[in-house]
Amino acid sequence: MEQVSKYFANRDGYPQYAGPENLKVLGNWVTGDIQQVPYTLLEVIDLVVEARRNPDSGVEEFGGNAHYTEIEPQGVHIQNEYVDHVRGDFTLDQALDVLTDFWNYCARVHPERTAEDLARYVAEYGHDPVAGLI
């Protein structure tokens, strides 16, 4: 995957999206709803990878602090539940690019926690959803 976005910590230490304007809703969804929780990030990456691998998979919903997200083989739809005009439809590849960029950010900022969550995810689900993506 090609790096399309970058994340940096603001004064309070929370990540902020920095990348193409057309992917801003994706970046804000990642920083606002998934946040710096590697395990949740792995769950979402796995949903996107499964939708890309299996064209017959159904719609998976992911709710968060502010966004409602649907992940399906046709793409990812994001709607901010508080700000109606903050929404977007993205390809699975666009979503994976932003998600893997955020995974790399989390791995640099919280290496131990990221490694622990990855090990726990692999133990629970039997596979590594970021293998081959980064």
Side-chain angles (χ1 to χ4, degrees), residues 80-93:
N80 184 300
E81 295 187 88
Y82 301 103
V83 184
D84 190 50
H85 70 275
V86 177
R87 63 178 143 202
D89 292 301
F90 306 93
T91 69
L92 296 173
D93 287 341

Side-chain angles (χ1 to χ4, degrees), residues 110-132:
H110 302 291
E112 295 88 17
R113 183 175 178 190
T114 304
E116 289 170 7
D117 282 4
L118 178 59
R120 182 169 64 116
Y121 196 90
V122 170
E124 288 178 19
Y125 291 96
H127 67 279
D128 177 351
V130 294

Side-chain angles (χ1 to χ4, degrees), residues 1 45 48-49 52 92-100 133:
M1 294 261 134
I45 289 171
V48 174
V49 168
R52 189 167 73 165
L92 296 173
D93 287 341
Q94 287 173 315
L96 279 175
D97 286 344
V98 171
L99 290 164
T100 55
L133 296 178

Side-chain angles (χ1 to χ4, degrees), residues 40-104:
T40 302
L41 182 56
L42 289 167
E43 290 176 316
V44 174
I45 289 171
D46 210 9
L47 290 173
V48 174
V49 168
E50 176 60 24
R52 189 167 73 165
R53 188 179 79 238
N54 182 359
D56 296 325
S57 64
V59 176
E60 293 289 340
E61 298 174 354
F62 181 83
N65 296 327
H67 299 85
Y68 171 77
T69 305
E70 292 179 337
I71 301 166
E72 59 185 311
Q74 293 76 26
V76 176
H77 174 74
I78 300 171
Q79 172 66 55
N80 184 300
E81 295 187 88
Y82 301 103
V83 184
D84 190 50
H85 70 275
V86 177
R87 63 178 143 202
D89 292 301
F90 306 93
T91 69
L92 296 173
D93 287 341
Q94 287 173 315
L96 279 175
D97 286 344
V98 171
L99 290 164
T100 55
D101 287 349
F102 195 62
W103 174 261
N104 290 330

